[in-house]
Amino acid sequence: MKYEDIENKLFIENRIKFRKLLNNNSLAIFQSNDEFPKSGDQDFPFKQNADLFYLSGIDQEKTILLIYPDCPNPMYREVLFLRQTSDQIKVWEGHKFTKLSAQKASGIQTVYWLEDFEAILHSIIAYADFIYLNINENVTSAYTIPSRDIRFIEHLKSKYPLHHYERAAPLMRQLRDTKSHEEVQLIQKACDITRDAFLRVLRFTRPGVTEYEIEAEIIHEFIRKRATGHAYPPIIASGKNANILHYGDNNQICAAGELILMDFGAEYANYNADMSRTIPVSGRFTPRQKDVYNAVLYVMKEAKTMLKPGLTAKDYNLEIGEIMTAQLVGLNLLDLKDVKAQNPAYPLYKKYFMHGISHHLGLDVHDFANRYIPFSEGNVLTCEPGIYIPEEGFGIRLENNLLLTSDGNIDLMANIPLEAEEIEEMMNSAY
């Protein structure tokens, strides 16, 4: 991996938390993600299953984690199963975990090769009352391809049909919702790398550059700072492209007088940053652009002030809707009479601000959490208001990442330029 080694204390503590949530005499099994073919002779870069990484720190394909706290054989209470390396693999693929290095990375002392999994599982599964299995229950996903988890569940249930099977996902949702100090430090590292890339972009951007050239500057800085790469496909949307929320072509020329809405973040050690900024191609906002920019910034500052433990996502979005409505009226985008007569179920502000204000962030960009319970201390959330005006040919979004504390929040991106005047000063000092 490009990133620096992580102390196994994080993963040891995560497994302790997980074991406390299990029923008595339960066995849990976690699978690594699939490897996906990219073409006839290549695979896409491997991305580890977030839950397996959370519990083990093992960032390698074909890995299985078995946790059985009440196993009558103490040797099998925590077991890692790894793909066995070979001289040929060393030549063609390079580093793979040895048993010793996997012990060091995970804190798990019992490590076997993958070929031993079925025999070891068979020797202990009859003593377990409950089997916890995992699938991706993140509500933002909609995969139709049977994953390694799904295929394994079908295999296990056909072989051992009389066990009581349980879902591991609700336990992982509960655990991953609250970030430990070590996790916050990893997210902060991803945010800092994202900052460095943004500063590079401010120095680089000028009329005539292309969106993909800006994207290239970003990935250059990411890799230079040991990030794995992009946390998600970057959005570099100049001019009217900013009104496409998930714009990804990144192939247009950035013209003088336009704005560029950029939404990107670094991935570091599987943890993610998620930042949005909007900058003027020419280094100066027009009066109208600055008015809209400052309206978005005002909403962001108000949103940050109210974001505390105990607040629900529903109430948060309702309050932000009212604040955004007032700003849109001030910008002459909405009429106050129409607002007073609006259907509350379909508020008029949604025409110009159609997405939510926040989402959880962590090992997934839209991290695994319960959206129907109040926010709590240790959550990391985005704050991302925007105003999109197709008829004027631009859109503006601003986004930072916030750590909730007992009495408020800490902005993990507080050191990234945000004020319009600061953006202008930095862009013009680069020329």
Side-chain angles (χ1 to χ4, degrees):
M1 297 300 111
K2 295 182 177 73
Y3 56 84
E4 296 177 350
D5 291 341
I6 303 170
E7 289 189 23
N8 63 25
K9 173 176 175 284
L10 169 61
F11 310 111
I12 293 171
E13 291 179 349
N14 287 348
R15 290 195 299 277
I16 291 172
K17 295 174 188 175
F18 176 74
R19 289 198 297 268
K20 290 179 179 178
L21 299 179
L22 293 172
N23 289 325
N24 291 333
N25 202 28
S26 292
L27 186 158
I29 303 170
F30 292 84
Q31 299 272 343
S32 61
N33 275 343
D34 276 305
E35 301 157 84
F36 290 99
K38 183 177 182 180
S39 64
D41 64 345
Q42 295 184 51
D43 289 341
F44 284 102
F46 176 71
K47 170 69 174 176
Q48 185 57 289
N49 179 291
D51 293 328
L52 188 145
F53 184 82
Y54 177 88
L55 293 170
S56 71
I58 299 299
D59 204 348
Q60 184 171 293
E61 72 285 354
K62 296 183 176 68
T63 299
I64 299 177
L65 170 64
L66 186 154
I67 298 176
Y68 186 1
D70 299 318
C71 184
N73 186 339
M75 181 182 297
Y76 299 140
R77 290 176 180 171
E78 287 187 338
V79 191
L80 265 178
F81 297 90
L82 302 173
R83 175 191 183 193
Q84 184 172 4
T85 190
S86 66
D87 290 339
Q88 184 179 21
I89 290 173
K90 289 178 184 177
V91 169
W92 287 95
E93 300 181 35
H95 166 79
K96 298 294 176 184
F97 277 106
T98 65
K99 291 182 178 181
L100 185 62
S101 63
Q103 289 172 345
K104 181 180 178 182
S106 66
I108 296 171
Q109 297 308 305
T110 304
V111 181
Y112 285 91
W113 301 129
L114 196 59
E115 62 192 32
D116 296 317
F117 172 72
E118 290 287 348
I120 290 175
L121 178 64
H122 187 73
S123 74
I124 60 176
I125 195 170
Y127 299 99
D129 294 323
F130 300 93
I131 311 298
Y132 281 80
L133 300 175
N134 201 34
I135 60 171
N136 180 8
E137 294 190 18
N138 194 321
V139 296
T140 62
S141 66
Y143 297 108
T144 57
I145 301 173
S147 66
R148 184 183 296 270
D149 286 325
I150 295 294
R151 300 194 305 273
F152 177 70
I153 289 169
E154 293 173 350
H155 162 73
L156 204 65
K157 285 188 173 181
S158 67
K159 193 171 182 180
Y160 305 103
L162 299 182
H163 276 80
H164 297 285
Y165 288 93
E166 299 285 345
R167 294 157 54 215
L171 309 186
M172 298 308 301
R173 183 188 293 115
Q174 181 177 339
L175 292 175
R176 285 176 51 189
D177 178 79
T178 302
K179 306 301 185 289
S180 65
H181 172 73
E182 291 81 5
E183 289 183 288
V184 172
Q185 293 303 109
L186 293 168
I187 296 171
Q188 182 67 71
K189 179 69 173 178
C191 291
D192 291 345
I193 295 172
T194 304
R195 173 204 61 204
D196 293 344
F198 180 59
L199 295 179
R200 184 184 183 100
V201 166
L202 288 179
R203 294 190 295 267
F204 173 79
T205 302
R206 61 191 182 279
V209 302
T210 55
E211 295 167 346
Y212 58 79
E213 287 179 292
I214 294 174
E215 180 180 345
E217 294 295 308
I218 293 167
I219 193 62
H220 180 116
E221 195 67 19
F222 281 3
I223 300 301
R224 198 170 78 90
K225 295 297 175 65
R226 304 187 73 163
T228 309
H230 293 289
Y232 50 92
I235 296 168
I236 314 297
S238 62
K240 63 182 181 181
N241 297 328
N243 295 297
I244 304 169
L245 294 183
H246 288 169
Y247 175 77
D249 290 343
N250 299 348
N251 61 1
Q252 299 299 302
I253 296 174
C254 303
E258 288 185 336
L259 299 180
I260 308 171
L261 189 160
M262 296 176 288
D263 189 334
F264 64 87
E267 178 192 279
Y268 180 84
N270 289 297
Y271 285 85
N272 299 287
D274 186 357
M275 183 200 74
S276 295
R277 289 292 186 273
T278 307
I279 67 173
V281 175
S282 301
R284 299 284 181 192
F285 294 95
T286 67
R288 175 60 171 175
Q289 290 169 350
K290 185 170 286 190
D291 285 345
V292 177
Y293 187 99
N294 284 331
V296 175
L297 183 58
Y298 177 83
V299 175
M300 185 184 202
K301 289 178 177 179
E302 291 295 301
K304 287 172 61 177
T305 299
M306 70 176 66
L307 187 55
K308 299 177 181 178
L311 180 67
T312 66
K314 180 180 179 181
D315 290 342
Y316 189 31
N317 279 282
L318 285 173
E319 290 190 51
I320 293 302
E322 293 181 4
I323 296 170
M324 178 61 79
T325 297
Q327 293 300 306
L328 293 171
V329 170
L331 293 168
N332 295 316
L333 291 170
L334 295 180
D335 183 271
L336 189 56
K337 291 182 181 179
D338 293 337
V339 170
K340 290 180 179 179
Q342 71 183 351
N343 181 347
Y346 302 97
L348 296 179
Y349 80 85
K350 286 287 188 180
K351 177 181 178 181
Y352 298 101
F353 175 42
M354 60 289 295
H355 56 78
I357 186 68
S358 287
H359 61 77
H360 288 264
L361 181 73
L363 282 168
D364 291 313
V365 176
H366 291 83
D367 208 26
F368 199 30
N370 189 335
R371 62 175 63 180
Y372 296 108
I373 63 173
F375 300 138
S376 61
E377 183 178 358
N379 290 171
V380 175
L381 295 156
T382 64
C383 180
E384 48 181 307
I387 295 176
Y388 310 91
I389 317 174
E391 57 268 30
E392 296 185 34
F394 69 89
I396 293 172
R397 181 166 64 249
L398 303 173
E399 178 181 15
N400 278 10
N401 305 156
L402 309 177
L403 168 67
L404 267 61
T405 65
S406 58
D407 58 356
N409 61 71
I410 297 172
D411 191 340
L412 302 179
M413 291 182 164
N415 59 355
I416 303 179
L418 184 62
E419 298 285 341
E421 291 76 17
E422 187 179 11
I423 297 292
E424 290 177 329
E425 181 180 354
M426 296 193 71
M427 292 188 72
N428 286 281
S429 65
Y431 290 136

